[in-house]
Amino acid sequence: GRGGRGTREAEESAKDQAPKEQGMVRTLKDKFGFISSVDVEREDLFFHYSEVRGSVEELRAGSEVEFGVYEARPGDKLMAVKIMILPKGTVKTEDLVEEGLEGEVIKELREPRAFDRQRQGPGTQAYGGRVRVLEPEKDTPKEGAGEGAP
């Protein structure tokens, strides 16, 4: 018959071929959740618990995961598939740097809109902003250090 097994196998095969990314579990609900990618900047990706390889009971908000990015049909929202829980410390989120860097805000932090608050409940975090680090001027002597400088 039409539909049946062949389509399911094709879908599983496409999920196996999905490009892999790493990220963190952002939110967990009853049978689904959302993952934030650290590799690509985009909306959090929906996932269903059936896509978790391993024990769903081990999954927590903040769990580090590797997953495939899958689009069921062209134009559909992307979703996370074939999710593997990674050991803590595997996913590199941000590099810590020495103090004293200068930067400029290129995208301001944005408060969640009323629509977002309805959808995700109170206490929703602000959306991430972006800062571009300015390169320190190379080998520029500091002049005019004050009165009586040698």
Side-chain angles (χ1 to χ4, degrees):
R2 289 184 38 153
R5 194 165 173 73
T7 329
R8 182 136 190 115
E9 286 172 7
E11 182 179 310
E12 284 305 308
S13 174
K15 287 179 180 180
D16 286 337
Q17 304 303 314
K20 298 274 187 265
E21 293 181 15
Q22 291 185 342
M24 309 275 227
V25 174
R26 181 77 94 178
T27 315
L28 291 170
K29 303 290 184 191
D30 188 25
K31 299 255 188 256
F32 65 94
F34 293 90
I35 293 175
S36 175
S37 174
V38 295
D39 295 326
V40 178
E41 191 143 327
R42 71 161 83 78
E43 282 186 342
D44 292 350
L45 296 172
F46 167 88
F47 73 93
H48 190 272
Y49 283 4
S50 64
E51 289 294 335
V52 176
R53 304 298 172 248
S55 172
V56 173
E57 285 75 36
E58 293 176 30
L59 213 53
R60 304 270 178 276
S63 290
E64 299 176 25
V65 291
E66 182 178 85
F67 54 93
V69 178
Y70 178 70
E71 183 181 37
R73 286 183 297 281
D76 279 4
K77 280 199 175 241
L78 296 174
M79 54 193 234
V81 297
K82 306 278 183 178
I83 299 156
M84 289 179 38
I85 302 171
L86 299 172
K88 194 158 187 56
T90 304
V91 174
K92 301 290 177 240
T93 50
E94 296 171 3
D95 294 329
L96 296 178
V97 294
E98 296 297 317
E99 286 183 34
L101 291 177
E102 290 189 25
E104 63 177 336
V105 175
I106 56 175
K107 182 179 172 192
E108 290 197 16
L109 206 58
R110 181 170 77 75
E111 285 296 320
R113 298 180 304 267
F115 166 77
D116 296 323
R117 284 193 296 274
Q118 287 172 352
R119 190 177 62 185
Q120 297 179 333
T124 301
Q125 296 176 347
Y127 286 82
R130 256 193 239 156
V131 173
R132 182 170 66 84
V133 175
L134 300 174
E135 292 293 321
E137 301 199 21
K138 309 253 187 288
D139 305 317
T140 308
K142 295 218 185 290
E143 294 183 36
E147 299 284 323

